[in-house]
mmCIF file of all heavy atoms in Angstrom:
data_model
loop_
_atom_site.group_PDB
_atom_site.id
_atom_site.type_symbol
_atom_site.label_atom_id
_atom_site.label_comp_id
_atom_site.label_asym_id
_atom_site.label_seq_id
_atom_site.Cartn_x
_atom_site.Cartn_y
_atom_site.Cartn_z
ATOM 1 N N LEU A 209 -21.808 17.790 18.345
ATOM 2 C CA LEU A 209 -22.088 16.393 18.689
ATOM 3 C C LEU A 209 -22.553 16.308 20.137
ATOM 4 O O LEU A 209 -22.136 17.100 20.980
ATOM 5 C CB LEU A 209 -20.822 15.535 18.507
ATOM 6 C CG LEU A 209 -20.261 15.475 17.089
ATOM 7 C CD1 LEU A 209 -18.897 14.783 17.091
ATOM 8 C CD2 LEU A 209 -21.224 14.753 16.155
ATOM 9 N N ASN A 243 -10.760 1.558 7.066
ATOM 10 C CA ASN A 243 -10.032 0.306 6.876
ATOM 11 C C ASN A 243 -10.200 -0.648 8.057
ATOM 12 O O ASN A 243 -9.585 -1.711 8.078
ATOM 13 C CB ASN A 243 -8.544 0.574 6.619
ATOM 14 C CG ASN A 243 -7.896 1.419 7.681
ATOM 15 O OD1 ASN A 243 -8.471 2.386 8.155
ATOM 16 N ND2 ASN A 243 -6.698 1.057 8.081
ATOM 17 N N GLU A 389 -13.782 38.298 5.494
ATOM 18 C CA GLU A 389 -14.487 38.350 4.205
ATOM 19 C C GLU A 389 -15.826 39.068 4.377
ATOM 20 O O GLU A 389 -16.382 39.146 5.479
ATOM 21 C CB GLU A 389 -14.723 36.941 3.670
ATOM 22 C CG GLU A 389 -13.440 36.136 3.438
ATOM 23 C CD GLU A 389 -12.569 36.682 2.305
ATOM 24 O OE1 GLU A 389 -13.073 37.492 1.490
ATOM 25 O OE2 GLU A 389 -11.381 36.306 2.254
#
Side-chain angles (χ1 to χ4, degrees):
Chain A
L209 298 171
N243 54 319
E389 300 293 344

